[in-house]
Amino acid sequence: MAATPPPPPPLHIVVFPWLAFGHMIPFLELSKRLARRGHAITFVSTPRNAGRLGAIPPAMSAHLRVVSLDLPAVDGLPEGAESTADVPPEKVGLLKKAFDGLAVPFASLIAEACGGAAGDGEEAAAGFSRKPDWIILDFAQNWIWPIAEEYEIACAIFSIFPAALGAFVGTKQENLAHPRTTTEDYMAQPAWIPFPSTVTYRRHEAEWIAAGFRPNASGVSDADRFWDSERPSCRLIIYRSCPEAEPRLFPLLTKLYTKPAIPSGLLVPPALDDNDIGVYNRSDRSFVAVMQWLDKQPNKSVIYVSLGTEAPITADHMHELAFGLELAGVRFLWALRRPSGINCHDDMLLPNGFETRVAARGLVCTEWVPQVCVLAHGAVGAFLTHCGWGSTVESFHYGQPLVMLPFIADQGLIAQAVAATGVGVEVARNYDDGSFYRDDVAAAIQRVMVEEEGKELAHKAIELCGILGDRVRQETYLYELIGYLQCYK
């Protein structure tokens, strides 16, 4: 009888996300899951972000370490700004310029890792002293490719966006063959998608996405940064998604980019993990009061409201949303984060007297809210969201129907796809300029929370949860990803 071959040795993987919490959080979740399976993960960020992401659980520290690189100063970038949560939208280009300044220290980190100088015996035992097998990077680091090629390290892009965005962006070659020069061009389904889909933008969304194809304050467009991955050293593109969530797209992406499009699964953090990541000061455990408030509410009676950390929300948006919640007449929990572009005191964010008028049925929390814990709570019956992909997959996982208010990036694509599945409704708005009004907010909330339609939306959300919340299937995607990493290094 032939001997069973030994399992492949653990990998050493350097993981490096773009400086946005919507990127860092899923990158760290993927890192934790790989580390739990015995692989050595070097997670790279900047000092302030590393501190805000929280400590690595002791049980995982043998296989997961965080390395901080100091972000260089850039004229016009606020002091201490290390993430998109620290700057208004118009300064994100400057943050990218500062990010580009990490090329030299990152090259030194890789040189040290390849030289076997990575610390003490414990690190060596965990595999950190070995030359990295992979660099898993984000869309933004077009300067990593020469470094990886110099040291002959395989690379993979990890897209925290849905596969639909990769399909919309397309390759550089396809964009040259089918140039998009007007706003209307970005409102049409791309020519390289050969089947009917919802992969289109409305006018105000198209104007925003078109900007991603033009150089910003860093001197480089986001599209050009991503297109630099069209080289042999990029062996795989990993998507935080799965075929059940986005049918037909994975075979198309593999063909389009001529390299495997690999699902990582949805990577939803556990709801009751005390090491869950928080953007806010975790020493103030204010979420205890939130959970206690939810415990007192009837089953499925509360709509959870959160518009993420990066949506370009104006003061008018905040007031129309507040008045809409008031008019809807339902219980709500609003995780309200001060938008970076609004310069006013906290008591000016909301209409005068709003919190007093809704105190009997609504709670506004301006501190960190543990979103997955909220979505998993029995009192929550719907989610009013900006349709960031992370928030959307979390809602899928916990079977919550959606009231959708998308703003930028992939959010419009996601909202249209979700509406097509019958698990959510959009707030009606002016699609030329993106404006919306309180009556439309209230009407959308009542459709989901009060009217008969809401029962069907909730039923379909539970059905989708049964498919996308299948833990065995989600684990299989991770094991298949590890298999690709073992084979393609």
Side-chain angles (χ1 to χ4, degrees):
M1 177 182 263
T4 302
L11 299 166
H12 179 195
I13 305 172
V14 176
V15 176
F16 193 3
W18 160 237
L19 305 179
F21 282 97
H23 293 242
M24 291 184 283
I25 289 172
F27 266 76
L28 187 55
E29 183 63 27
L30 176 62
S31 298
K32 288 180 177 181
R33 296 188 185 208
L34 293 171
R36 288 190 188 105
R37 286 152 183 83
H39 302 285
I41 310 299
T42 297
F43 184 92
V44 182
S45 193
T46 61
R48 188 177 180 207
N49 289 327
R52 290 186 289 189
L53 287 169
I56 300 301
M60 210 175 291
S61 59
H63 296 287
L64 175 58
R65 63 173 182 170
V66 176
V67 175
S68 296
L69 303 178
D70 291 327
L71 193 69
V74 167
D75 287 344
L77 190 67
E79 185 177 354
E82 294 188 10
S83 81
T84 55
D86 302 325
V87 297
E90 63 270 16
K91 291 189 179 290
V92 171
L94 292 176
L95 186 65
K96 291 188 173 87
K97 185 176 181 179
F99 193 54
D100 293 342
L102 294 179
V104 171
F106 183 78
S108 297
L109 172 67
I110 294 300
E112 181 180 327
C114 290
D120 59 22
E122 288 186 9
E123 286 195 325
F128 292 121
S129 64
R130 295 177 49 233
K131 172 185 172 180
D133 298 289
W134 284 89
I135 300 172
I136 296 180
L137 64 151
D138 217 323
F139 77 96
Q141 299 106 310
N142 57 333
W143 38 266
I144 275 183
W145 306 111
I147 300 169
E149 288 162 3
E150 178 182 353
Y151 292 97
E152 299 182 335
I153 301 172
C155 290
I157 291 279
F158 178 36
S159 173
I160 58 87
F161 300 106
L165 185 62
F168 181 86
V169 171
T171 63
K172 189 170 187 177
Q173 180 180 352
E174 289 288 0
N175 278 267
L176 290 172
H178 306 281
R180 294 183 278 201
T181 58
T182 68
T183 299
E184 287 75 15
D185 291 333
Y186 291 93
M187 295 168 66
Q189 176 170 303
W192 49 85
I193 300 179
F195 46 79
S197 76
T198 58
V199 184
T200 61
Y201 281 100
R202 283 71 66 99
R203 181 172 295 277
H204 74 286
E205 300 163 345
E207 290 172 352
W208 191 94
I209 202 71
F213 289 77
R214 298 191 293 267
N216 53 49
S218 71
V220 185
S221 74
D222 289 345
D224 280 319
R225 287 177 185 272
F226 175 68
W227 285 333
D228 268 0
S229 65
E230 296 176 12
R231 55 173 77 202
S233 56
C234 182
R235 309 280 176 84
L236 310 169
I237 302 180
I238 305 163
Y239 292 89
R240 185 192 185 183
S241 187
C242 60
E244 292 88 350
E246 299 188 90
R248 306 182 74 177
L249 287 178
F250 281 88
L252 171 66
L253 290 167
T254 294
K255 181 179 180 181
L256 186 64
Y257 289 99
T258 64
K259 58 193 69 179
I262 309 301
S264 67
L266 301 182
L267 302 177
V268 177
L272 300 177
D273 185 353
D274 194 44
N275 294 299
D276 198 11
I277 304 158
V279 176
Y280 303 101
N281 182 357
R282 296 167 67 220
S283 63
D284 177 325
R285 311 279 287 181
S286 62
F287 68 84
V288 172
V290 169
M291 301 308 287
Q292 289 175 341
W293 182 85
L294 283 174
D295 288 342
K296 298 174 184 176
Q297 309 308 314
N299 188 52
K300 298 296 181 185
S301 66
V302 175
I303 185 166
Y304 170 58
V305 183
S306 176
L307 299 181
T309 59
E310 297 180 49
I313 302 168
T314 67
D316 284 344
H317 290 149
M318 296 285 283
H319 280 219
E320 292 303 314
L321 178 55
F323 283 126
L325 286 166
E326 187 172 354
L327 287 170
V330 304
R331 291 177 172 85
F332 67 87
L333 167 62
W334 188 355
L336 189 156
R337 184 183 180 278
R338 170 192 286 277
S340 55
I342 298 179
N343 295 314
C344 64
H345 298 296
D346 285 343
D347 59 1
M348 296 172 63
L349 287 173
L350 298 171
N352 187 39
F354 169 76
E355 288 186 83
T356 300
R357 293 193 301 272
V358 300
R361 60 179 173 85
L363 179 65
V364 178
C365 183
T366 57
E367 303 295 333
W368 172 60
V369 172
Q371 181 160 289
V372 289
C373 295
V374 170
L375 292 173
H377 197 285
V380 175
F383 182 14
L384 194 161
T385 174
H386 62 308
C387 286
W389 188 232
S391 291
T392 303
V393 299
E394 288 169 6
S395 72
F396 289 164
H397 188 81
Y398 293 106
Q400 299 292 357
L402 300 180
V403 174
M404 299 178 290
L405 192 60
F407 287 89
I408 59 171
D410 54 342
Q411 295 164 14
L413 297 181
I414 293 166
Q416 292 184 76
V418 171
T421 66
V423 299
V425 300
E426 277 197 70
V427 174
R429 67 204 304 176
N430 182 328
Y431 287 122
D432 286 337
D433 63 13
S435 60
F436 61 90
Y437 300 98
R438 61 196 71 178
D439 290 343
D440 297 316
V441 173
I445 292 171
Q446 289 178 334
R447 285 177 65 187
V448 177
M449 293 293 291
V450 178
E451 297 174 10
E452 194 66 24
E453 180 184 4
K455 295 179 182 178
E456 181 62 21
L457 291 163
H459 177 70
K460 289 185 177 179
I462 293 297
E463 286 184 339
L464 188 62
C465 172
I467 298 169
L468 300 181
D470 182 339
R471 293 187 179 184
V472 173
R473 187 66 205 143
Q474 292 294 313
E475 282 291 303
T476 299
Y477 287 125
L478 189 65
Y479 279 110
E480 290 173 350
L481 168 59
I482 292 170
Y484 274 98
L485 295 173
Q486 294 282 11
C487 292
Y488 278 74
K489 63 180 181 177

